[in-house]
Amino acid sequence: DQQVKQNSPSLSVQEGRISILNCDYTNSMFDYFLWYKKYPAEGPTFLISISSIKDKNEDGRFTVFLNKSAKHLSLHIVPSQPGDSAVYFCAARGNAGNMLTFGGGTRLMVKP
Amino acid sequence: GAVVSQHPSWVICKSGTSVKIECRSLDFQATTMFWYRQFPKQSLMLMATSNEGSKATYEQGVEKDKFLINHASLTLSTLTVTSAHPEDSSFYICSAIPQGGTGANVLTFGAGSRLTVL
């Protein structure tokens, strides 16, 4: 049972345009959501997070939106840069402990 | 910032041998470390939670006798894949939380260890 899903395995965007990565979850007990960026043969690096009490969090070019009623979150990157090309994982945390449940990842390719 | 080091980064072994992967927190103490496994083009699957000085907590479906976890100190956790077989070939990643740290965003991941079993 996949509690966190990223339905788009890949996304291709032109440099300078907006990249929108989507993530859906089923467990209403998740209270904290995170996005990680991962390059090949490297560990994930934390990008941005959002608490379930908020609906938006912005950090530079990265904005995460949370729609609790739809159990949906998205990561917006604008403007997209070639260096943003990587696999992006969304992750969710339950309200006990720091265990994370990851989505399947979306490979973003930003074309120059 | 917090750094987690994994060693080896890549190991190739023969079927039937055991392989040990180390996860070290270089500049902080970690009471809790997590071990993940990633299959090609798939998500990170939590295997177990490793707590310093106590037995690891394994996720459902993960064989504890197959994947031995030892967290003997506040800076080191090891994962030993015993009697490895080709189906154990995967990318193993550890993560750690600084002692006293709160919030999942303080999780720091290692660079991962690729295991190839021939």
Side-chain angles (χ1 to χ4, degrees):
Chain A
D1 175 32
Q2 266 190 296
Q3 297 189 63
V4 180
K5 289 184 181 179
Q6 292 174 255
N7 291 316
S8 297
S10 65
L11 174 68
S12 183
V13 171
Q14 202 67 33
E15 180 179 7
R17 299 290 186 102
I18 184 171
S19 295
I20 301 177
L21 297 101
N22 294 303
C23 180
D24 296 292
Y25 62 96
T26 57
N27 189 340
S28 58
M29 299 302 290
F30 288 142
D31 69 344
Y32 199 77
F33 303 90
L34 308 92
W35 284 94
Y36 286 85
K37 180 178 179 179
K38 185 180 182 298
Y39 293 112
E42 292 185 16
T45 54
F46 170 73
L47 199 57
I48 193 169
S49 63
I50 188 167
S51 165
S52 61
I53 63 174
K54 294 186 175 181
D55 55 18
K56 177 183 175 181
N57 187 26
E58 188 173 354
D59 183 4
R61 296 186 296 114
F62 303 91
T63 304
V64 56
F65 295 91
L66 175 63
N67 183 333
K68 281 186 67 178
S69 60
K71 294 191 176 67
H72 176 85
L73 65 153
S74 60
L75 173 68
H76 292 210
I77 306 173
V78 56
S80 300
Q81 299 173 354
D84 296 328
S85 298
V87 177
Y88 289 79
F89 289 96
C90 70
R93 188 193 70 177
N95 56 9
N98 285 297
M99 191 184 79
L100 296 180
T101 302
F102 284 87
T106 297
R107 182 177 300 280
L108 174 65
M109 292 164 284
V110 181
K111 298 179 179 178
Chain B
V3 177
V4 172
S5 172
Q6 273 187 249
H7 178 81
S9 57
W10 193 5
V11 56
I12 303 173
C13 70
K14 291 183 178 180
S15 184
T17 59
S18 294
V19 175
K20 181 186 285 187
I21 300 170
E22 293 186 347
C23 178
R24 292 180 185 274
S25 55
L26 295 187
D27 48 3
F28 65 97
Q29 294 184 325
T31 51
T32 304
M33 291 184 174
F34 302 92
W35 285 95
Y36 294 84
R37 180 175 180 177
Q38 185 186 22
F39 293 100
K41 298 184 180 180
Q42 293 191 31
S43 182
L44 296 163
M45 301 298 297
L46 179 66
M47 297 175 66
T49 302
S50 170
N51 295 297
E52 187 267 337
S54 64
K55 291 183 178 180
T57 304
Y58 290 81
E59 295 302 302
Q60 192 173 12
V62 179
E63 300 175 60
K64 61 180 181 181
D65 295 330
K66 173 77 172 175
F67 300 99
L68 300 177
I69 291 173
N70 184 282
H71 194 156
S73 77
L74 285 171
T75 60
L76 173 65
S77 175
T78 60
L79 167 68
T80 301
V81 183
T82 62
S83 187
H85 289 95
E87 59 265 29
D88 298 324
S89 299
S90 194
F91 195 59
Y92 294 88
I93 304 176
C94 71
S95 67
I97 299 175
Q99 192 176 26
T102 58
N105 57 318
V106 300
L107 269 176
T108 301
F109 285 83
S113 299
R114 181 168 300 283
L115 171 63
T116 301
V117 185
L118 303 177

